[in-house]
Amino acid sequence: AFRYLLMSHGIFSIGFFAFGGWYPVSLIRTYGMSYTELGIFAGTVLGITMLVASVASGYFCPAVARRTGNERWMAILPAIFCLISVVAMVVASMDLSKPVVMVAGAIAFFFVVARTPPILGLSIELLPASIRSLATVVFIIVTNVIGSAVGPIIVGMVSDSATASLGEGPALRQAMLMTVPLFGLAGALLAFVPARYIPRKLASRA
């Protein structure tokens, strides 16, 4: 279960960082947002959105698992969150009105962050206490460091190759629309697999 959890959210993170790394640039290139306006949006709207998502998910997902008596929800709910976020990221990468793209971006960040508390908690509980610290570090590296290194590079390369023919804004949106669904959807669908290997009641909570 841990291996599939690591693999699925690692792949998903490539899609998310491909979006998250270039989403602010896309807002500037497509809608001419100033750095001040972008800073206010990212620092307040997205910041508050991610804070609420993290706290709410930290309460909601364990509550569902307790209510149903089924620990598999700790893997299923993050997978659902990933699917919703992929749809939102695709919408936020399209050539739509500025308010729609900003709302879609906020929704995407909300559900991406909402997946984090349950999968971190689940990854810790799936493994013996002797390797939990190491496993947490490995999980963070795979789902954050690698994703943030690979995703933005892919989008940048695709965008550069299409800029001459499409222009900066359209080329960037096309690159995001090619990369985000590919990795994001693959990771989101694979994220349902760990639930097959998780007992309804984990020993640590029995």
Side-chain angles (χ1 to χ4, degrees):
F2 178 77
R3 286 196 294 268
Y4 279 113
L5 200 68
L6 194 67
M7 185 188 311
S8 61
H9 288 277
I11 294 172
F12 172 81
S13 71
I14 295 176
F16 166 66
F17 282 107
F19 170 79
W22 288 100
Y23 175 62
V25 180
S26 178
L27 291 176
I28 293 173
R29 292 183 181 179
T30 304
Y31 305 102
M33 289 181 65
S34 66
Y35 289 109
T36 301
E37 186 180 4
L38 180 62
I40 293 173
F41 173 64
T44 57
V45 177
L46 295 185
I48 294 173
T49 295
M50 291 187 286
L51 175 62
V52 171
S54 181
V55 175
S57 178
Y59 282 99
F60 175 72
C61 295
V64 171
R66 288 193 301 268
R67 182 80 176 226
T68 60
N70 189 351
E71 299 290 346
R72 293 168 186 159
W73 283 108
M74 294 293 286
I76 295 172
L77 286 173
I80 294 173
F81 295 161
C82 287
L83 281 177
I84 296 173
S85 70
V86 169
V87 175
M89 285 188 283
V90 168
V91 173
S93 301
M94 298 174 69
D95 187 14
L96 302 173
S97 66
K98 181 179 174 181
V100 170
V101 169
M102 292 176 71
V103 170
I107 293 173
F109 276 90
F110 179 92
F111 283 102
V112 167
V113 173
R115 93 191 203 284
T116 304
I119 61 174
L120 278 177
L122 180 60
S123 66
I124 291 174
E125 293 197 26
L126 286 172
L127 299 171
S130 60
I131 61 172
R132 285 177 179 173
S133 298
L134 176 61
T136 301
V137 173
V138 171
F139 195 89
I140 291 174
I141 291 174
V142 172
T143 59
N144 288 277
V145 177
I146 295 178
S148 63
V150 176
I153 290 177
I154 296 175
V155 173
M157 291 173 62
V158 175
S159 178
D160 283 346
S161 66
T163 296
S165 57
L166 298 177
E168 284 191 338
L172 179 56
R173 290 197 304 272
Q174 184 184 71
M176 292 166 67
L177 287 171
M178 291 174 61
T179 308
V180 172
L182 176 64
F183 293 98
L185 187 59
L189 294 176
L190 189 61
F192 285 95
V193 176
R196 295 181 55 192
Y197 301 94
I198 298 173
R200 288 181 60 89
K201 197 71 175 177
L202 290 174
S204 61
R205 291 191 182 184

